[in-house]
Amino acid sequence: MTTPVKNRLEAAKGMQKGRITKYRPYPPIELEERRWPSQVLTTAPIWCSVDLRDGNQALPTPMGVAEKMEMFKLLVEIGFKEIEVGFPSASQIEFDFIRRLIEEELIPEDVTIQVLTQAREDLIRRTVDAVKGAKKVILHLYNSTSPQQRKIVFGLEKPEIIGLAIRATRLIKELAPTLSESQVIFEYTPESFALTEMDFALEISEAVIDVWQPTPENKMILNLPKTVEIAMPNVHADQIEWICRHLRNREAVIISLHTHNDRGTGVASAELGLLAGGERIEGTLFGNGERTGNVDLVTLALNMYMEGIDPGLDFSNLDRIRAIHEKCTHMEVPVRHPYAGDLVFTAFSGSHQDAIRKGMAAQDTTPGALWEVPYLPIDPADLGRTYEAIIRINAQSGKGGIAYVLEQEFGLQLPKAMHAEFGRIIQSLADTSGAELSSAQIFQAFEHEYFQSEGPYQLENLSIEQSNHASDTVSCTAQIRVDGVVRKVQAMGNNPAQAFVGALNQGDLANCKLLSYQAHPYTQGSDQQATAYVQVQTAAGKTLFGAALDADANGAAAKAVICALNRSEQIHQHVI
């Protein structure tokens, strides 16, 4: 570590308090009757991925040729028509990758590659050599323009900075005819535009435009980057609108935006910049880029999709896109990252879970129907995500979410009144573990509590038939083992559960009341079974549930009653 840096760190004593003198707000843009606040986005911009250049240079371990090739193929699959494939004068890997794309004819007819170069003659010539043979190419020139860059980095005054840009543009214009097989588009970036005085940003941009001389039929790209985020998104929108209002020959220029995320508002700045006149966006998948990153094209595009705008990019298999991105970049997408994170469609809160469960049940499944599910502004299925992970369970979770997991993953449709009882069981388990419970753990707890419940009551034999006396009643005959003694009982009722409870009561084996009965087919696995749920009230006034699986609904109903009685005995013994 150099001595000045070391001394600077040692002198630092934390954040200033009270009146902050170390930093100053960015001055507002003088813009009368600004128009962007009243604009509405209706169409997607031109998208340009810079994952292979801007994103790649931000990686601790830059991508090799094979990784860059896999990323390029992914970007093409997603639907990008403009892809910045590299900085060919920066390294041999960059140069070789671009040559391979061209020589092996790996660039689709409708895709334009873009290459970046600084305003230096040797770098420009190397860049032009790299793209010879490409059918469509954007030659992207940049030089820094902000006061800090002019003073600290380059030690040049404004006229000298303009001179750099003009000479570089003239050279590219002279060399462009040597790319005889190519359709050449020119792009200029006054780097650190957002930190540059607006009048100087306009002056240098117009100087470059005057050299290139674009027309409405053959436009050039003027890229206005928020290289470092230093102000609120509305200030960025003001800057873009100011330039668009004052730029000569505006109709011959495509205004491109390239926002970074130093303040965490890269997406917002891009959105407001589009309202202000931006027509094109440069960014990266999941926002990978220098410092806090570039604008996240996944988030930006899906924000538009959520508002009913076709982004022209396909994220229907977002998990696969994320997996390839992570493989190529060795960077992980955070679990709370918008749209793509593992937990973004997951609710732990009980009230959220209940609202999602009810919303999913009420959602119109007609193709094209309006999506209206609380807490889920976008349908996970549109992105290739599944519903299994929407509700996950920990100590903060509610009964509705637990019931949702059992229904969605295991086909168990618990009666609403049962949610509270089983919810308390899971709550206790989550409190004890202190961690999230997997869906398998929740199902195992249900099995243990209900399907595998043991006690003094055992069903030995059962026969339930339609009554000969009335079409709406059934006849039940059963053999019950209680504390080792087998008893035969029989009775009639309106349904299998009621008949079985009646038989138990008439045989003095129990004294209980059936409060509810529900059954449904259970199709997990290859065997067809039935699941039944009953709610009974004991002689002591205790109300509790029983549940069971069996080959048919009659057997499941009787076993569910046995489960409830055994659970009653277990609870009674526990209290004693």
Side-chain angles (χ1 to χ4, degrees):
M1 184 181 293
T2 62
T3 301
V5 173
K6 183 176 179 181
N7 292 341
R8 177 70 193 87
L9 292 175
E10 289 176 351
K13 297 180 181 179
M15 294 174 64
Q16 279 187 304
K17 307 295 181 183
R19 182 171 176 266
I20 308 301
T21 59
K22 191 174 182 179
Y23 307 100
R24 59 186 176 187
Y26 191 88
I29 304 298
E30 296 296 329
L31 188 64
E32 295 183 1
E33 298 180 356
R34 53 182 52 82
R35 301 161 192 154
W36 65 261
S38 61
Q39 300 301 306
V40 176
L41 292 181
T42 57
T43 58
I46 301 166
W47 301 105
C48 178
S49 161
V50 295
D51 289 88
L52 294 169
R53 198 280 303 170
D54 208 344
N56 187 50
Q57 76 179 34
L59 298 176
T61 303
M63 289 181 271
V65 171
E67 291 167 326
K68 287 172 75 77
M69 191 65 66
E70 186 170 11
M71 179 65 78
F72 178 78
K73 290 177 180 178
L74 175 66
L75 296 170
V76 169
E77 288 177 16
I78 291 170
F80 287 99
K81 302 305 179 186
E82 295 183 4
I83 302 173
E84 190 166 78
V85 290
F87 200 147
S89 63
S91 75
Q92 191 63 41
I93 287 178
E94 297 279 290
F95 189 94
D96 290 345
F97 168 66
I98 295 167
R99 292 309 310 158
R100 182 178 171 187
L101 286 177
I102 296 169
E103 292 169 6
E104 296 184 14
E105 299 184 348
L106 300 175
I107 306 167
E109 292 286 339
D110 61 346
V111 171
T112 302
I113 61 169
Q114 177 172 306
V115 285
L116 183 71
T117 181
Q118 291 171 297
R120 280 174 41 190
E121 181 177 351
D122 57 331
L123 303 184
I124 291 171
R125 292 185 181 277
R126 176 72 166 166
T127 300
V128 171
D129 287 342
V131 297
K132 286 182 178 178
K135 292 183 174 61
K136 298 178 183 178
V137 61
I138 298 171
L139 297 176
H140 183 185
L141 171 71
Y142 80 96
N143 67 311
S144 292
T145 57
S146 71
Q148 288 179 348
Q149 294 276 358
R150 298 194 309 260
K151 175 184 176 182
I152 300 171
V153 180
F154 297 103
L156 299 176
E157 298 298 325
K158 288 180 181 179
E160 296 170 297
I161 295 292
I162 293 175
L164 276 176
I166 288 176
R167 288 191 298 274
T169 303
R170 284 176 178 162
L171 179 59
I172 291 175
K173 191 171 184 179
E174 290 172 7
L175 294 175
T178 67
L179 301 174
S180 56
E181 300 176 45
S182 307
Q183 175 187 342
V184 176
I185 300 169
F186 178 62
E187 175 177 351
Y188 174 66
T189 291
E191 201 229 356
S192 62
F193 159 79
L195 285 162
T196 301
E197 310 95 318
M198 285 296 96
D199 57 349
F200 182 59
L202 178 66
E203 182 182 0
I204 194 169
S205 296
E206 290 187 331
V208 168
I209 292 169
D210 288 344
V211 172
W212 191 260
Q213 295 189 338
T215 66
E217 294 73 32
N218 292 288
K219 297 183 179 184
M220 66 166 277
I221 300 167
L222 178 60
N223 190 50
L224 303 176
K226 201 173 189 181
T227 310
V228 181
E229 249 197 337
I230 41 74
M232 293 173 66
N234 63 294
V235 175
H236 179 247
D238 282 349
Q239 291 175 319
I240 300 302
E241 183 170 330
W242 191 95
I243 289 289
C244 287
R245 284 197 198 182
H246 291 84
L247 189 67
R248 293 198 315 267
N249 208 14
R250 170 69 181 87
E251 69 281 358
V253 173
I254 296 170
I255 298 296
S256 176
L257 309 178
H258 183 121
T259 61
H260 280 249
N261 202 43
D262 300 83
R263 290 169 55 98
T265 57
V267 169
S269 293
E271 290 177 331
L272 297 192
L274 290 174
L275 293 176
E279 304 158 275
R280 180 178 184 268
I281 293 287
E282 293 187 350
T284 60
L285 298 178
F286 310 112
N288 174 50
E290 292 281 17
R291 306 180 308 279
T292 56
N294 287 44
V295 66
D296 176 5
L297 297 183
V298 176
T299 299
L300 187 58
L302 290 178
N303 282 357
M304 294 181 184
Y305 178 68
M306 188 195 297
E307 295 190 10
I309 300 171
D310 182 356
L313 300 176
D314 188 359
F315 296 111
S316 296
N317 194 343
L318 194 52
D319 284 344
R320 175 177 174 272
I321 292 169
R322 187 185 75 176
I324 294 175
H325 177 272
E326 291 181 335
K327 174 187 173 185
C328 292
T329 65
H330 307 287
M331 302 283 283
E332 291 187 1
V333 175
V335 296
R336 293 294 183 189
H337 195 95
Y339 302 107
D342 281 338
L343 296 181
V344 296
F345 294 121
T346 299
F348 290 102
S349 162
S351 60
H352 288 205
Q353 291 173 345
D354 185 57
I356 291 172
R357 182 181 62 83
K358 291 175 180 175
M360 294 291 288
Q363 176 60 35
D364 185 351
T365 57
T366 304
L370 182 65
W371 175 257
E372 293 182 296
V373 176
Y375 299 111
L376 292 180
I378 194 171
D379 185 352
D382 287 355
L383 311 181
R385 306 292 298 270
T386 62
Y387 297 119
E388 282 122 8
I390 290 176
I391 293 176
R392 288 164 58 175
I393 307 303
N394 62 14
Q396 302 296 315
S397 304
K399 58 185 184 297
I402 295 165
Y404 180 89
V405 169
L406 288 176
E407 180 174 356
Q408 292 296 312
E409 297 200 37
F410 302 102
L412 297 175
Q413 301 169 21
L414 275 60
K416 186 174 182 179
M418 192 179 182
H419 294 181
E421 179 182 281
F422 185 59
R424 288 191 293 270
I425 294 168
I426 294 299
Q427 187 75 38
S428 176
L429 186 62
D431 285 339
T432 300
S433 71
E436 179 187 351
L437 300 180
S438 68
S439 57
Q441 287 175 299
I442 295 167
F443 181 69
Q444 288 167 5
F446 188 87
E447 276 190 313
H448 177 75
E449 185 69 24
Y450 298 100
F451 293 167
Q452 300 169 357
S453 177
E454 297 181 354
Y457 293 89
Q458 298 177 41
L459 180 63
E460 295 285 321
N461 195 17
L462 175 70
S463 174
I464 295 180
E465 300 177 351
Q466 195 71 38
S467 172
N468 295 326
H469 304 288
S471 61
D472 59 347
T473 60
V474 294
S475 172
C476 172
T477 302
Q479 287 183 317
I480 310 296
R481 183 184 295 274
V482 182
D483 294 328
V485 179
V486 177
R487 294 275 303 278
K488 182 177 181 179
V489 294
Q490 59 184 17
M492 299 177 67
N494 293 331
N495 59 58
Q498 188 182 66
F500 186 69
V501 169
L504 293 175
N505 289 341
Q506 290 181 26
D508 293 327
L509 297 183
N511 183 10
C512 62
K513 180 181 180 181
L514 180 69
L515 300 180
S516 67
Y517 160 64
Q518 177 178 312
H520 64 78
Y522 185 75
T523 57
Q524 296 289 105
S526 58
D527 295 333
Q528 289 287 335
Q529 293 180 292
T531 308
Y533 314 88
V534 299
Q535 184 183 30
V536 301
Q537 186 177 52
T538 67
K542 180 69 177 177
T543 299
L544 71 167
F545 281 86
L549 274 175
D550 197 68
D552 60 56
N554 293 339
K559 288 182 178 179
V561 174
I562 291 291
C563 169
L565 294 176
N566 284 335
R567 292 186 66 240
S568 175
E569 289 295 321
Q570 292 167 4
I571 293 170
H572 177 68
Q573 291 171 7
H574 179 71
V575 171
I576 292 174

